[in-house]
């Protein structure tokens, strides 16, 4: 026969376990949310670059030029279609994507930059987050520290490119 005090504190112990589990689940949810944000924050920009690369591999140069927000019929003010073909066409030296390496990635509040190293030279591209427009990175030698990347900080550099620029 059990006495009255045998069950003393059992309900409180169960309640404490539930509180601890709820707090741990909340903390795990926050950690997963933050990790997901940092893993996916450049997803659309990386997809844009992958699409650009894929279309260049197919040698669809008018389609690739559209990735810059331009068309052969209505070329960009600072980046004519002929210049684009010099930079990306079959005679450019930027056609061997199997030998290309991504050498640098920069994340900022207003965009995402990547460096593509080809056997002949290196190109630094920039995607503006606001309108997903492509251009060459105006600060290709800038190095981003891991702490700056954590906070999307580009140290006050104005990277918003309204007019597309060529190399």
């Amino acid at each position: 026969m059990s006495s009255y005090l045998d069950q003393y504190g059992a309900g409180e112990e169960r309640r404490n376990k539930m509180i601890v589990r709820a707090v741990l689940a909340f903390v795990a949810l926050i950690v997963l949310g933050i990790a997901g944000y940092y893993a996916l924050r450049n997803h659309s920009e990386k997809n844009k670059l992958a699409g650009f690369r894929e279309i260049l591999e197919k040698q669809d140069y008018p389609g690739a030029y559209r990735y810059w927000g331009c068309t052969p019929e209505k070329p960009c003010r600072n980046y004519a279609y002929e210049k684009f073909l010099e930079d990306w066409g079959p005679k450019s030296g930027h056609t061997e994507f199997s030998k290309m390496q991504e050498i640098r990635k920069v994340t900022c509040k207003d965009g995402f930059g990547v460096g593509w190293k080809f056997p002949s030279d290196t190109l630094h591209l920039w995607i503006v987050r606001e309108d997903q427009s492509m251009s060459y990175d105006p600060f290709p030698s800038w190095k981003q520290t891991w702490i700056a990347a954590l906070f999307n900080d580009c140290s006050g550099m104005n990277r918003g490119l309204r007019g597309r620029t060529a190399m």
Side-chain angles (χ1 to χ4, degrees), residues 69-81:
C70 316
T71 62
E73 299 80 34
K74 186 181 175 199
C76 289
R77 180 173 39 107
N78 296 327
Y79 199 33
Y81 185 63

Side-chain angles (χ1 to χ4, degrees), residues 44-56 63-70 76 79 84 88 97 112-114 116 123-138 159 161-166:
S44 62
E45 290 81 7
K46 288 178 182 178
N47 281 344
K48 176 119 181 177
L49 287 167
F52 180 65
R53 176 182 173 170
E54 182 179 312
I55 220 161
L56 282 173
Y65 192 52
R66 284 186 194 91
Y67 269 77
W68 290 74
C70 316
C76 289
Y79 199 33
F84 177 83
W88 295 102
F97 284 97
F112 175 72
V114 67
W116 284 355
L123 295 175
H124 298 274
L125 301 171
W126 184 255
I127 306 288
V128 179
R129 286 190 203 283
E130 185 178 46
D131 59 0
Q132 293 294 301
S133 61
M134 270 182 85
S135 67
Y136 290 102
D137 192 344
R159 291 183 171 266
L161 303 174
R162 291 289 167 227
R164 288 158 188 78
T165 56

Side-chain angles (χ1 to χ4, degrees), residues 96-121:
E96 299 181 60
F97 284 97
S98 61
K99 297 179 182 176
M100 183 209 68
Q101 298 174 342
E102 281 191 2
I103 57 167
R104 132 192 193 282
K105 295 178 185 174
V106 176
T107 299
C108 292
K109 293 175 187 168
D110 57 351
F112 175 72
V114 67
W116 284 355
K117 183 175 183 171
F118 291 91
S120 59
D121 68 341

